[in-house]
């Protein structure tokens, strides 16, 4: 690798002791100098701003890569448009393939879809995921396949099978009905297709300035796909194991060797669902569905959450809990308190994922804890939140500033493919409160540009146990940098967001 010096009008290091510089030198993939004047093989113009490459603290790399080949329903605003997208994909596939689609949001047209929305697929099994991946709709052919393996007359624990007036399944499956019944019936792509999905995911992330990810993955994908590609992808993966059958096989944490390119840091559990699907578990009923509090799922539903957390923490793992509703967040905090009462530290090693709604009385309980949050969920969920929560509870929605003031530690991510891995758009939402449609939502919960930048760099690195490798600019750290067309710390985020010029991974411009 050539010894490279990157110059810019402003370089932000993320190091409070030396926050700014004029140049960075990278040799052999590692930063070897800041503002030095030694000989180099080449110089790169970083433009207006260079900083550490972004870190997405929560995404699904393999799922994201696979989603790039699916029918794209994001932004579809009518049944007619839905049908057009599905029909076009159906006509492009060989007859032996399932049709897979994702990204729909019923809020854009007003009703939940059913199997008839996929009728154009005929006898081809088809599945279309809501944007949150917690609800899917399947067609008649897929329902027949699922029905051969499961009794569809009974809801699974933590899940719902939607039914019509006659009691027959409509094709809409929520939470565990989707995950436990539908997913196992969809054929997995072959090894070659999975590897190409991983490569496509890496290219997509580089285009967004991202070089390190906290990725939620199943052990099969870690072993079969990501391990063989670890040196090729150019994305540093801090993986969290999604396998979560009880009792947990903690040995899965060692299913791949650990190095700078790929390391397993912990395990994940889901406590509830999502606001958009009304499956997030709430302390009080949904304003637009007064009979429902949402759902507890998996270990939270079975009463094993505290034991799972305690056992994982005691083994030294970073434990991640999906909690979107305010009741789910409280359950996560209760489990953390129980672990600490048993003598197991649950501060540094605990990640509460999402934390979209927080009762004011629970904010102080977040002191010193990691809240791994996704600002673009605020962007897309603001409109449904006003309906789901009602005006009286909007003060619980995405309390970035309030959590920060309470002493919580913020790390930002995207949850891609749920939303795009666009760190700059996410920063705009966190800084000014911008939501879909151009509206401002809870601007009083916004944070500073530097706080948002830190949440996507050095703080995200600490959350993922990667701060000795990346997340800031300093000697001995990786030469992972991003060049922007303007300075995010001086930018008017109300009217503009910076753009990516290029991403450096180990000192090389990512393709």
């Amino acid at each position: 690798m050539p010894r490279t010096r990157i110059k810019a009008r402003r370089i932000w290091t993320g190091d409070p002791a030396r926050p700014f510089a004029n140049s960075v030198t990278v040799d052999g993939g590692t930063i070897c100098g800041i503002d030095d004047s030694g000989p180099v093989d080449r110089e790169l113009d970083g433009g207006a701003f260079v900083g550490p490459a972004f870190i997405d603290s929560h995404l699904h790399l393999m799922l994201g890569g696979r989603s790039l080949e699916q029918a794209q329903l994001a932004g579809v605003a009518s049944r007619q448009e839905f049908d057009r997208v599905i029909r076009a994909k159906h006509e492009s596939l060989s007859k032996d393939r399932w049709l897979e689609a994702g990204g729909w949001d019923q809020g854009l047209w007003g009703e939940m879809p059913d199997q008839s929305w996929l009728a154009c697929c005929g006898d081809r099994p088809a599945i279309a995921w809501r944007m949150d991946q917690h609800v899917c709709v399947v067609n008649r052919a897929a329902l027949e396949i699922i029905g051969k393996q499961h009794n569809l007359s009974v809801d699974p624990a933590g899940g719902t099978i939607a039914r019509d007036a006659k009691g027959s399944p409509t094709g809409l499956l929520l939470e565990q009905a989707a995950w436990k019944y539908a997913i196992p019936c969809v054929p997995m792509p072959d090894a070659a297709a999975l590897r190409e999905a991983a490569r496509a995911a890496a290219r997509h992330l580089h285009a967004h300035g991202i070089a390190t990810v906290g990725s939620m993955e199943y052990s099969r994908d870690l072993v079969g796909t990501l391990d063989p590609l670890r040196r090729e992808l150019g994305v540093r993966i801090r993986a969290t194991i999604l396998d979560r059958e009880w009792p947990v096989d903690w040995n899965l944490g060692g299913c791949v060797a650990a190095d700078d390119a790929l390391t397993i840091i912990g395990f994940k559990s889901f406590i509830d669902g999502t606001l958009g699907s009304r499956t997030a578990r709430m302390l009080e009923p949904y304003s637009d569905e007064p009979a429902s509090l949402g759902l507890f799922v998996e270990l939270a539903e079975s009463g094993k959450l505290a034991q799972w957390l305690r056992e994982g923490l005691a083994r030294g793992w970073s434990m991640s809990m999906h909690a979107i509703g305010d009741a789910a967040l409280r359950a996560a905090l209760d489990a953390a308190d129980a672990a600490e009462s048993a003598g197991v530290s649950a501060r540094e090693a605990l990640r509460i994922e999402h934390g979209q709604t927080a009762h004011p009385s629970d904010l102080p309980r977040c002191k010193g804890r990691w809240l791994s949050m996704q600002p673009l969920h605020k962007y897309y969920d603001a409109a449904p939140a006003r309906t789901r929560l009602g005006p009286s509870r909007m003060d619980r929605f995405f309390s970035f500033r309030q959590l920060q003031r309470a002493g919580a530690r913020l790390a930002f991510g995207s949850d891609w493919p749920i939303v795009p891995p666009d760190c700059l758009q996410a920063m705009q939402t966190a800084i000014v409160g911008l939501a879909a449609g151009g509206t401002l939502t809870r601007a009083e919960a916004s944070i500073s540009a530097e706080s948002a930048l830190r949440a996507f760099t050095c703080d995200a690195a600490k959350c993922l146990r990667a701060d000795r490798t990346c997340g800031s600019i300093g000697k001995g750290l990786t030469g992972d940098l991003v060049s922007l067309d303007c300075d995010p710390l001086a930018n008017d985020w109300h009217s503009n967001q910076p753009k990516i010029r290029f991403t450096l991974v180990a000192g090389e411009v990512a393709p």
Side-chain angles (χ1 to χ4, degrees):
M1 291 182 181
R3 186 181 178 93
T4 303
R5 179 173 293 119
I6 303 95
K7 292 184 175 181
R9 289 195 290 278
R10 196 179 201 192
I11 295 176
W12 180 78
T13 69
D15 180 359
R18 187 179 186 177
F20 300 107
N22 297 308
S23 71
V24 178
T25 303
V26 180
D27 192 11
T30 301
I31 296 171
C32 63
I34 299 175
D35 287 340
D36 66 340
S37 57
V40 295
D41 300 310
R42 64 177 180 178
E43 287 191 353
L44 291 179
D45 178 12
F49 181 89
V50 164
F54 294 130
I55 297 173
D56 191 314
S57 67
H58 179 134
L59 54 67
H60 306 261
L61 189 146
M62 289 303 304
L63 189 64
R66 291 177 60 188
S67 76
L68 296 173
E69 291 296 318
Q70 295 178 357
Q72 303 297 315
L73 296 169
V76 165
S78 68
R79 180 166 182 170
Q80 292 73 25
E81 190 177 356
F82 188 107
D83 181 77
R84 179 184 61 76
V85 173
I86 296 297
R87 188 179 299 275
K89 188 67 174 179
H90 166 63
E91 292 174 354
S92 74
L93 294 174
S94 60
K95 292 183 178 181
D96 60 333
R97 294 273 304 278
W98 276 60
L99 184 145
E100 298 181 68
W104 60 262
D105 177 5
Q106 82 282 3
L108 297 178
W109 58 71
E111 62 177 317
M112 284 291 199
D114 60 28
Q115 59 182 302
S116 68
W117 287 50
L118 298 167
C120 67
C121 296
D123 293 332
R124 178 198 304 280
I127 182 168
W129 288 93
R130 190 182 183 277
M131 61 181 295
D132 56 15
Q133 292 277 328
H134 284 247
V135 177
C136 68
V137 62
V138 299
N139 68 347
R140 174 186 51 77
L143 266 180
E144 290 177 357
I145 293 171
I146 297 168
K148 291 177 181 179
Q149 299 187 30
H150 302 282
N151 179 4
L152 297 183
S153 66
V154 180
D155 289 346
T160 302
I161 300 170
R163 297 180 178 84
D164 61 22
K166 297 180 180 179
S168 299
T170 68
L172 193 71
L173 306 174
L174 292 81
E175 298 297 341
Q176 297 304 295
W179 293 1
K180 299 294 187 182
Y181 288 6
I183 288 178
C185 291
V186 182
M188 284 290 290
D190 62 24
L194 288 171
R195 293 188 184 192
E196 185 49 44
R199 295 183 183 103
R203 293 191 295 269
H204 193 65
L205 295 170
H206 290 152
H208 287 286
I210 297 167
T212 298
V213 298
S215 194
M216 310 291 169
E217 301 292 344
Y218 289 98
S219 58
R220 65 170 185 264
D221 290 323
L222 288 166
V223 173
T225 304
L226 296 176
D227 186 16
L229 295 180
R230 66 169 72 205
R231 292 300 174 191
E232 175 187 335
L233 295 179
V235 175
R236 304 180 201 282
I237 301 169
R238 297 298 179 266
T240 296
I241 296 283
L242 278 175
D243 306 64
R244 52 195 183 275
E245 295 297 331
W246 186 262
V248 175
D249 180 2
W250 299 108
N251 292 324
L252 290 175
C255 67
V256 296
D259 65 10
D260 180 49
L262 174 62
T263 297
I264 295 171
I265 63 171
F267 290 75
K268 181 179 179 180
S269 180
F270 287 81
I271 295 179
D272 68 340
T274 69
L275 275 180
S277 298
R278 297 190 191 87
T279 53
R281 182 70 176 196
M282 308 305 298
L283 293 169
E284 300 147 37
Y286 282 93
S287 291
D288 57 350
E289 194 171 307
S292 176
L293 290 168
L295 296 171
F296 280 127
V297 301
E298 300 186 353
L299 298 176
E301 185 274 333
S302 65
K304 299 289 195 303
L305 182 66
Q307 183 181 351
W308 170 86
L309 180 62
R310 186 173 62 252
E311 289 187 9
L313 292 172
R315 287 170 168 81
W317 294 112
S318 174
M319 302 298 284
S320 171
M321 293 187 287
H322 166 116
I324 287 183
D326 49 13
L329 176 61
R330 183 167 292 179
L333 294 168
D334 288 346
D337 288 346
E340 292 183 333
S341 295
V344 180
S345 175
R347 297 283 164 175
E348 285 287 335
L350 170 65
R351 288 173 286 152
I352 297 175
E353 306 291 345
H354 311 306
Q356 285 189 210
T357 50
H359 191 281
S361 67
D362 287 325
L363 293 175
R365 302 178 66 194
C366 295
K367 183 177 181 179
R369 302 196 190 281
W370 283 110
L371 270 290
S372 171
M373 303 182 75
Q374 297 72 40
L376 282 186
H377 282 331
K378 178 181 181 180
Y379 181 90
Y380 290 104
D381 281 356
R386 296 186 192 100
T387 303
R388 306 288 188 267
L389 302 178
S392 65
R393 285 185 287 175
M394 281 301 289
D395 66 342
R396 305 180 192 186
F397 184 65
F398 277 97
S399 301
F400 295 129
R401 182 185 298 181
Q402 292 76 14
L403 283 163
Q404 191 178 61
R405 287 178 174 174
R409 309 174 72 183
L410 302 183
F412 284 167
S414 65
D415 205 9
W416 182 57
I418 310 308
V419 299
D422 190 332
C423 303
L424 293 168
Q425 186 185 8
M427 286 178 63
Q428 185 177 43
T429 293
I431 294 165
V432 303
L434 186 69
T439 61
L440 295 183
T441 298
R442 288 213 72 203
E444 71 277 9
S446 298
I447 58 176
S448 71
E450 184 168 4
S451 291
L453 182 57
R454 294 185 66 88
F456 269 121
T457 55
C458 42
D459 289 345
K462 292 174 184 175
C463 179
L464 298 177
R465 301 180 172 184
D467 53 306
R468 294 184 179 181
T469 300
C470 59
S472 56
I473 295 175
K475 289 185 179 181
L477 298 177
T478 54
D480 298 345
L481 308 170
V482 65
S483 169
L484 306 180
D485 70 346
C486 66
D487 183 347
L489 300 177
N491 184 55
D492 178 5
W493 286 93
H494 287 272
S495 59
N496 179 55
Q497 62 177 261
K499 295 180 176 59
I500 305 291
R501 295 181 70 245
F502 59 80
T503 305
L504 289 182
V505 178
E508 295 293 322
V509 177

